[in-house]
Amino acid sequence: MNNLISLKNISKSFSNNKKINVLKRINYSFTKGKIYSLVGPSGSGKSTLLNVLSLIDKPTTGSLLINKTPVNFNENTKNDKIRSSKIGIIYQQNNLLPDFTALENVYLAGLALTNDKKNSIERAKEIIQTMGLSSREAHFPSELSGGEMQRIAMARALINKPEIILADEPTGSLDHTTAKEVFNVLYKLKNKNRLIIYATHNRFFANMADCKLEMIDGNIKAINARIK
Ligand SMILES: Nc1ncnc2c1ncn2[C@@H]1O[C@H](COP(=O)(O)OP(=O)(O)O)[C@@H](O)[C@H]1O
Ligand SMILES: [Mg+2]
């Protein structure tokens, strides 16, 4: 069907002093064209799950398939390529490079896929325009508001037109009005070939999704599946 990412028996444990099992044999498939929200108390494993989905963290057991192809978590170089071509990641703190302008922050991410600097700059300008921030291209992160920085971070995540967008509490550090603007931009990115998953603590934003998922005891429970 339209499953873009499938998780099969995915577990993730951390063992420092004491072993903790954060994800416990999760079986779930994410459908393309849909937006999912991920809720759950602090420490319930939302970021851990998003880090596995973004191929940054290796699950302890289980398999993850993208477009039916299993990901080999030991192939870092290959997975870096998959990530830069297919996955856009947005964090709570926007992580922009402070010594680079808004435009540079965005187009440099485009160079991960192609060495064509001119083309990357053109694409960066286009996407910054869709974020309504053309007049801010030459500004440094310190000269932007929180909402503007987050929109530039989104532009950076989107420059390679990812099929998958993962956002970990993308508006966690913004006021409600600014957060709404950021979510409006995120929702405009929905299309039939794309999967969007975001973690949030905010019930209002969580309820906007096609499917609201809750992390409960290391597993995913679908709460309001509007997906047939
Ligand atoms: N790298 C790590 N090493 C050890 N424990 C970790 C690590 N990352 C996360 N954890 C633990 O895993 C649990 C889930 O964390 P996290 O996924 O960040 O939850 P959430 O994003 O829902 O707040 C927490 O108990 C956290 O302390
Ligand atoms: Mg988290």
Side-chain angles (χ1 to χ4, degrees):
M1 259 210 1
N2 279 331
N3 293 338
L4 185 47
I5 305 185
S6 293
L7 305 177
K8 300 204 187 300
N9 286 317
I10 287 281
S11 301
K12 176 76 182 170
S13 311
F14 294 106
S15 33
N16 297 343
N17 307 329
K18 183 172 145 239
K19 186 175 175 200
I20 51 165
N21 303 313
V22 180
L23 308 178
K24 299 177 189 169
R25 300 179 74 85
I26 296 180
N27 287 286
Y28 197 82
S29 290
F30 295 93
T31 310
K32 85 166 75 157
K34 300 293 177 193
I35 303 195
Y36 296 79
S37 62
L38 185 60
V39 298
S42 203
S44 59
K46 302 181 296 297
S47 296
T48 303
L49 179 63
L50 289 170
N51 288 341
V52 169
L53 290 168
S54 58
L55 316 184
I56 289 169
D57 269 1
K58 184 181 170 181
T60 311
T61 66
S63 52
L64 182 157
L65 292 83
I66 298 182
N67 279 324
K68 299 195 175 65
T69 306
V71 167
N72 181 341
F73 279 89
N74 295 320
E75 293 182 319
N76 290 336
T77 312
K78 186 173 169 196
N79 294 342
D80 288 346
K81 242 197 202 122
I82 295 176
R83 191 178 316 103
S84 38
S85 61
K86 286 188 193 295
I87 307 176
I89 308 171
I90 303 156
Y91 295 100
Q92 175 171 355
Q93 299 298 337
N94 55 66
N95 300 316
L96 295 177
L97 302 168
D99 297 332
F100 292 86
T101 63
L103 178 63
E104 287 165 344
N105 264 281
V106 178
Y107 96 73
L108 288 172
L111 295 181
L113 271 200
T114 154
N115 286 326
D116 188 342
K117 182 172 161 186
K118 191 162 164 265
N119 176 268
S120 191
I121 291 177
E122 269 168 29
R123 283 185 295 138
K125 286 188 168 195
E126 262 170 46
I127 191 142
I128 289 174
Q129 188 178 28
T130 65
M131 298 286 164
L133 289 174
S134 291
S135 62
R136 298 284 186 276
E137 276 175 8
H139 290 223
F140 288 92
S142 60
E143 299 168 330
L144 301 172
S145 71
E148 287 168 348
M149 279 196 268
Q150 200 56 317
R151 278 184 282 158
I152 292 295
M154 289 171 91
R156 183 181 59 178
L158 297 168
I159 182 151
N160 296 325
K161 300 195 166 60
E163 274 176 86
I164 300 163
I165 298 174
L166 304 173
D168 194 353
E169 301 191 33
T171 62
S173 50
L174 302 176
D175 64 73
H176 190 70
T177 308
T178 313
K180 257 188 179 164
E181 285 167 19
V182 168
F183 268 103
N184 283 341
V185 174
L186 189 68
Y187 269 77
K188 281 197 194 129
L189 300 171
K190 178 174 168 168
N191 73 41
K192 65 180 184 356
N193 294 316
R194 185 172 263 163
L195 165 66
I196 301 176
I197 307 171
Y198 61 88
T200 181
H201 276 298
N202 183 297
R203 195 180 300 175
F204 174 82
F205 296 130
N207 288 339
M208 289 166 67
D210 298 313
C211 187
K212 185 166 142 188
L213 304 175
E214 187 170 4
M215 293 288 311
I216 299 177
D217 192 25
N219 230 297
I220 294 179
K221 188 178 158 216
I223 302 175
N224 72 331
R226 277 194 249 152
I227 297 170
K228 278 141 216 132

